[in-house]
Amino acid sequence: MLSANNRSERIKAMAAVIQDNKIVAGGSFLIEERTTDEVFTPEDFTEEHRMIAETTRQFMDTEVRPRIQELEKHDWKLLRELVQKAADLGLVSANVPEEYGGLGLDQTSGALVGENIGRSASFATTLGAQGGIGLLPILYYGTEEAKKKYLPKIASGELISAYALTESGSGSDALAAKSTARLSEDGTHYVLNGEKMWITNGGFADVFIVFAKVDGDKFTGFIVERQEGLTNGADEHKMGIKGSSTTAIFLAGAKAPVENVLGEIGKGHKIAFNILNIGRFKLGAMCNGGMKLMIHEAVRYANERHQFGKPISSFGAIKSKLAEMAIRTWVGEAMIYRTLGMIEDTINATAQSGNPESKLQAIEEYAVECSIVKVALSEYCSFVADEMVQIYGGYGYSADYPAEQAYRDARINRIFEGTNEINRMLIPGMMMKRAISGKLALLPAAQKLMDEVLSPSMDSFDDDETVLSAEVKLVRNAKKVALMTLGTAAQKYMMGLSDQQEILMGIADIIMDTYGMESAVLRARKLAAAQGEDAAARYIDMTRVFCNDAILRIESNAKNLLAAMSEGDEARTMLAALRRFTKLSPYNTIAARQRIADVLIKANKYSY
């Protein structure tokens, strides 16, 4: 294990590597501009990426989705068989190094597996635990002995894994866990006692990642095998994802050999939080895969369902729904893979650092973006599911049609991997923490913006005639609104900002919309440069509609925040600046949505 000093030196060395390679700093999208050649988009997937995505999709559509009803009846024998089949295809071991029985593929490949298993939320939950939170702590924090013992068997599906963090009294406050671990008198193993709640795969897992407090106060991670001292409760009766096992876990003298300690004693929070970052962007990918399937089913139904002598897909109200579903799916996809591109670049730049945790640190660099992806995609997914039910009408409420299950299954995503409320507060909080530590030049940018706020005029970009030039201007101004609200909050509340939950969540919404706007603009401009503006017209439409609506949301959120944080002359000055920053030229979003929907209706599937 690394000493604290050695770890600190390696982290500093990694930071130097990142700086030398001019890697994009996490959170810097708020104060810097990116060009199209600096962002990774789905159009940049390699043939290998496309192959693993298609392999996963075929497996889900031929092996898993036809048997969803059996899984919902808790046929765990079948579920284990399906996990085994998925493992045989490499869907569990995509990101596991070859030396431990994996494929050694990049993070994008792993996300594409996640996206396509999202076509069945229950199975995605099971496999997500198996190849993600139930495996990665061992990969990144396990001893060499533990890696060799467990990773090949988890990767092959021989062992089913689970992740046991939450307790009945410690949900979002994970460090308040009461489970304990004490070293045996002979020093060979730890004895664990306590209870865990909401454990995915709990009913049939063979090995568990368990967090407990050594000597009652040192929060630590352990690998614990199923044994006499570890039992599970009955499967929970859940609203959704019924085809996955979720149980309580009871630890009554369960033993974990000392070589099964993960990382350092008392440093379990690092494991929990870093693994959550991975889980967040993979959850976003799973949501995106589910959304694509929902739109596919909704379009087909709208084309087949006739009312008043014609298909309901011909009605404007339905077209508007289909278009907005597609817009959020396409923009969300841009956000996911833009984030993954930055993570991949940082992993590649630090590959020679000699730090076994360099991949995790690369992902941690983009913790803000991972939280944005998690919140945005989980909420986009809920929106798409809700609109799917509405398009199906009365049939959407029937369990005989796919909309009902999609609606139930989507709800958990806003709770998984840290609730959306927690993640919203983390987004501006982490940005401020990076600013104070000098990792992000947020404070100078905020000060520069205040000079502009007090200026009677603004720079004009009206002479820019390049594609989406108006939207580029909107993005720049959205960043200014985000900086203005964040800077005002920091100045007003200072060290007490973390207690202002409503303020933090409002700022987070502005930051998320800004990231979505820029991600969409960059992706659409990249497509236009490669294909020509005419060929990319549908993507330009989606980007313009999203940016139009996002800047209106940003203006509304900012008004509420500034009213809460300022008064008198200060408030008038801030609101005047806000009006300048959110000035919007009228755009016919109705016609654009009709064009977007027409593409879907003609293709009879999600075709973006």
Side-chain angles (χ1 to χ4, degrees):
M1 295 182 188
L2 296 173
S3 68
N5 287 337
N6 285 338
R7 285 179 51 77
S8 176
E9 289 303 315
R10 288 192 171 183
I11 290 172
K12 289 179 182 177
M14 178 182 169
V17 172
I18 291 175
Q19 187 173 8
D20 290 345
N21 284 272
K22 298 180 180 178
I23 296 300
V24 174
S28 64
F29 68 89
L30 206 57
I31 56 175
E32 298 176 2
E33 289 191 26
R34 303 267 78 86
T35 60
T36 54
D37 60 350
E38 291 178 298
V39 293
F40 183 78
T41 70
E43 291 71 39
D44 297 318
F45 290 157
T46 64
E47 190 58 37
E48 185 177 45
H49 289 147
R50 299 182 193 283
M51 187 181 303
I52 196 163
E54 181 59 27
T55 297
T56 309
R57 189 159 47 248
Q58 287 184 5
F59 169 73
M60 294 302 297
D61 289 349
T62 60
E63 297 283 350
V64 179
R65 291 181 57 222
R67 309 194 74 175
I68 287 175
Q69 296 306 315
E70 295 171 72
L71 295 180
E72 291 221 335
K73 293 176 182 177
H74 294 182
D75 187 341
W76 302 148
K77 180 181 178 182
L78 170 61
L79 187 53
R80 285 194 74 123
E81 290 172 0
L82 291 172
V83 170
Q84 182 73 66
K85 289 182 178 180
D88 291 343
L89 292 172
L91 306 187
V92 175
S93 62
N95 295 138
V96 176
E98 293 181 36
E99 62 193 284
Y100 302 120
L103 299 182
L105 301 179
D106 59 13
Q107 295 296 320
T108 302
S109 298
L112 282 167
V113 170
E115 176 182 324
N116 286 284
I117 64 172
R119 296 171 75 83
S120 167
S122 290
F123 190 74
T125 302
T126 298
L127 207 69
Q130 175 75 1
I133 55 177
L135 178 152
L136 297 178
I138 303 174
L139 176 61
Y140 293 124
Y141 292 99
T143 62
E144 190 62 27
E145 183 178 352
K147 290 177 185 179
K148 290 178 178 178
K149 179 178 180 180
Y150 295 109
L151 291 179
K153 291 182 179 180
I154 296 173
S156 68
E158 180 181 344
L159 292 179
I160 301 295
S161 61
Y163 184 82
L165 172 64
T166 304
E167 298 185 6
S168 58
S170 61
S172 296
D173 185 11
L175 300 186
K178 291 184 170 23
S179 294
T180 62
R182 63 172 178 79
L183 187 62
S184 63
E185 292 184 4
D186 61 5
T188 61
H189 60 272
Y190 283 87
V191 179
L192 286 80
N193 290 280
E195 298 179 8
K196 298 292 179 177
M197 292 289 292
W198 315 118
I199 309 306
T200 296
N201 297 349
F204 57 91
D206 306 296
V207 60
F208 299 78
I209 306 300
V210 178
F211 292 87
K213 290 182 175 178
V214 174
D215 301 328
D217 63 347
K218 301 179 185 69
F219 192 72
T220 306
F222 300 87
I223 306 167
V224 184
E225 296 182 14
R226 186 176 285 276
Q227 55 191 272
E228 185 176 342
L230 188 156
T231 57
N232 61 268
D235 276 286
E236 300 287 348
H237 296 288
K238 300 172 302 206
M239 177 192 297
I241 56 169
K242 293 184 176 182
S244 65
S245 172
T246 306
T247 74
I249 296 297
F250 306 105
L251 303 160
K255 298 178 181 179
V258 291
E259 58 269 22
N260 280 17
V261 172
L262 293 168
E264 301 175 50
I265 298 293
K267 302 290 186 180
H269 62 285
K270 291 179 61 67
I271 303 170
F273 298 152
N274 280 331
I275 297 303
L276 278 176
N277 286 328
I278 300 175
R280 284 166 184 160
F281 75 71
K282 286 196 174 180
L283 177 65
M286 290 176 188
C287 288
N288 198 242
M291 291 155 68
K292 290 179 180 179
L293 181 60
M294 289 180 219
I295 297 172
H296 174 78
E297 299 283 7
V299 171
R300 290 176 59 195
Y301 181 83
N303 279 336
E304 294 168 1
R305 175 70 168 168
H306 284 63
Q307 291 287 278
F308 307 104
K310 53 185 177 181
I312 65 172
S313 62
S314 65
F315 299 136
I318 300 299
K319 284 188 175 184
S320 180
K321 292 180 183 299
L322 291 173
E324 186 61 26
M325 292 160 77
I327 289 166
R328 298 195 192 195
T329 301
W330 187 82
V331 173
E333 184 180 45
M335 297 163 72
I336 293 164
Y337 291 102
R338 175 188 181 183
T339 302
L340 272 167
M342 294 187 292
I343 290 172
E344 295 283 20
D345 286 345
T346 306
I347 287 174
N348 292 335
T350 59
Q352 305 304 317
S353 68
N355 182 355
E357 294 182 31
S358 61
K359 287 186 179 180
L360 268 184
Q361 290 171 6
I363 294 167
E364 185 180 9
E365 176 71 18
Y366 303 101
V368 169
E369 288 84 352
C370 289
S371 283
I372 288 173
V373 165
K374 189 275 177 185
V375 176
L377 269 295
S378 64
E379 294 184 358
Y380 293 172
C381 186
S382 285
F383 172 85
V384 170
D386 189 78
E387 291 290 63
M388 182 188 184
V389 171
Q390 199 68 14
I391 289 170
Y392 272 75
Y395 291 108
Y397 218 67
S398 168
D400 293 332
Y401 289 80
E404 182 265 351
Q405 184 181 62
Y407 185 84
R408 289 188 290 103
D409 286 346
R411 186 58 183 86
I412 189 61
N413 295 319
R414 286 145 61 192
I415 299 172
F416 267 164
E417 310 297 352
T419 67
N420 283 12
E421 289 75 20
I422 288 292
N423 275 281
R424 272 187 165 86
M425 289 183 281
L426 282 173
I427 290 166
M430 289 188 290
M431 281 194 155
M432 286 304 302
K433 185 177 180 180
R434 291 178 64 80
I436 293 169
S437 67
K439 295 179 180 178
L440 186 63
L442 198 64
L443 301 179
Q447 182 57 54
K448 182 180 178 181
L449 174 67
M450 292 311 298
D451 295 338
E452 184 176 347
V453 167
L454 298 174
S455 172
S457 62
M458 289 176 57
D459 293 336
S460 174
F461 305 101
D462 294 339
D463 57 347
D464 185 350
E465 297 181 357
T466 58
V467 62
L468 292 170
S469 58
E471 285 65 38
V472 170
K473 179 179 177 180
L474 288 178
V475 171
R476 289 171 179 164
N477 285 338
K479 293 181 182 184
K480 292 176 182 178
V481 176
L483 278 175
M484 182 169 66
T485 53
L486 186 54
T488 302
Q491 185 176 31
K492 179 177 177 63
Y493 301 110
M494 295 186 286
M495 298 304 293
L497 179 57
S498 61
D499 296 325
Q500 301 299 319
Q501 296 189 351
E502 299 95 331
I503 299 295
L504 289 171
M505 290 192 292
I507 294 171
D509 284 341
I510 293 172
I511 293 172
M512 288 190 296
D513 263 332
T514 301
Y515 192 64
M517 289 170 69
E518 186 174 53
S519 300
V521 168
L522 289 167
R523 185 180 182 186
R525 290 187 113 186
K526 192 170 186 175
L527 278 161
Q531 301 178 5
E533 289 186 37
D534 289 343
R538 65 182 72 176
Y539 310 111
I540 293 171
D541 271 342
M542 286 200 288
T543 301
R544 295 193 71 182
V545 173
F546 183 85
C547 289
N548 180 92
D549 294 355
I551 202 70
L552 294 175
R553 290 192 296 268
I554 287 171
E555 180 184 28
S556 178
N557 278 322
K559 278 183 180 178
N560 291 333
L561 289 169
L562 293 173
M565 296 189 294
S566 59
E567 56 186 18
D569 289 342
E570 181 187 15
R572 284 187 285 273
T573 300
M574 293 289 188
L575 290 171
L578 177 63
R579 286 191 293 272
R580 289 152 57 196
F581 293 146
T582 56
K583 184 178 179 181
L584 182 66
S585 298
Y587 174 62
N588 189 350
T589 59
I590 293 176
R593 279 191 169 89
Q594 289 176 342
R595 292 191 295 269
I596 293 164
D598 285 341
V599 172
L600 298 168
I601 292 164
K602 182 178 179 180
N604 199 33
K605 63 180 182 180
Y606 179 77
S607 52
Y608 287 97

